[in-house]
Amino acid sequence: MLSCRVAGNWSSHDTVRVPEGEYVVGCHDVVYCDRNPRRTVRVSAFEIDRFEATVEAYQRCVRDDACSRLSATRKETPVSSVAALTASQAAEYCRWRGGRIPSTSEWEIAARGHTERTYAWGSSFDDYQHVAAAKLIVEGDVGVGYYFVPGSTPSGDSAFGVSDMSGTLAEFSKAPDGRVSLRGAPKSALSTEPLEYAITYAGRSAFGALGAARCVRSTL
């Protein structure tokens, strides 16, 4: 059984503060918007990780008996690579950090800022952005076929300066009804389907899938 101990190491990570305020979220120019219609929401200030959780960071959580072990069938990866986790592992990791998985609104606001862009880099899908990101993929075997070095996809950096919000592994976010979805990246890293890169698209269920963890913490 996993320990409930919290490491209290939030301040040791590079985070970005998102101020309290009203933000536009949801899609207005992308199909399949029924799960995430365009609307204005008000959020309290929060901090979010600048980078996705790495294998090295997750393994520290495992050593603290606060996270379940990664699959034994996966090969070793560099300590700087992004960890491919289940939704429950991502939640364990964020609790250990002293945070939580971001809400759907928090994740989208961190990716979008005060703009109404559809993608982290702007409002239109540009094949060059996808190719630039794909060229930075390092082949490996982590259960999803690829791993990524944090900060390696600058086209996915958000208006707030949060890195890799589009183009690496999809990330977990949690809706008010408890549904966890994957955001910001397609099932296949080589996909050219624009919808799957849209930060407004919340249609991918996290059930049985692997993704990256990015944690948030409410702040004053």
Side-chain angles (χ1 to χ4, degrees):
M1 184 174 180
L2 295 175
S3 166
C4 292
R5 181 158 60 95
V6 173
N9 61 352
W10 181 266
S11 61
S12 67
H13 287 66
D14 187 3
T15 61
V16 174
R17 187 178 187 276
V18 176
E20 176 183 4
E22 290 188 345
Y23 297 85
V24 174
V25 297
C27 43
H28 57 95
D29 58 356
V30 178
V31 293
Y32 309 120
C33 291
D34 56 315
R35 291 188 177 180
N36 191 25
R38 185 179 184 276
R39 63 202 182 280
T40 299
V41 299
R42 184 170 188 85
V43 297
S44 300
F46 62 93
E47 293 179 340
I48 186 167
D49 289 336
R50 188 180 300 275
F51 302 107
E52 296 158 325
T54 63
V55 172
E56 181 183 39
Y58 186 82
Q59 294 290 22
R60 290 200 298 270
C61 181
V62 173
R63 290 194 293 271
D64 268 0
D65 197 29
C67 288
S68 57
R69 294 185 180 278
L70 297 174
S71 171
T73 62
R74 288 169 51 184
K75 296 179 182 178
E76 288 298 315
T77 58
V79 295
S80 60
S81 64
V82 171
L85 308 172
T86 65
S88 61
Q89 287 174 325
E92 291 166 0
Y93 171 78
C94 288
R95 282 195 298 269
W96 172 76
R97 287 276 316 287
R100 54 181 168 77
I101 292 175
S103 70
T104 52
S105 293
E106 287 170 334
W107 188 93
E108 189 171 322
I109 289 165
R112 186 182 231 181
H114 283 288
T115 71
E116 291 195 38
R117 59 182 62 180
T118 301
Y119 307 96
W121 56 80
S123 296
S124 63
F125 186 76
D126 184 338
D127 284 341
Y128 172 76
Q129 299 286 357
H130 169 260
V131 172
K135 285 181 179 177
L136 291 167
I137 296 170
V138 182
E139 290 190 23
D141 182 4
V142 294
V144 291
Y146 303 92
Y147 61 77
F148 298 85
V149 175
S152 63
T153 55
S155 62
D157 292 354
S158 82
F160 276 121
V162 184
S163 292
D164 306 320
M165 295 296 278
S166 291
T168 57
L169 294 177
E171 300 176 11
F172 298 102
S173 71
K174 192 172 186 179
D177 63 3
R179 180 176 59 88
V180 178
S181 59
L182 286 165
R183 312 287 298 276
K187 292 180 180 179
S188 167
L190 299 180
S191 172
T192 57
E193 172 53 55
L195 175 65
E196 294 185 327
Y197 286 89
I199 56 179
T200 53
Y201 178 58
R204 279 190 62 198
S205 170
F207 181 76
L210 297 178
R214 191 189 300 270
C215 308
V216 302
R217 186 176 73 165
S218 300
T219 185
L220 298 178

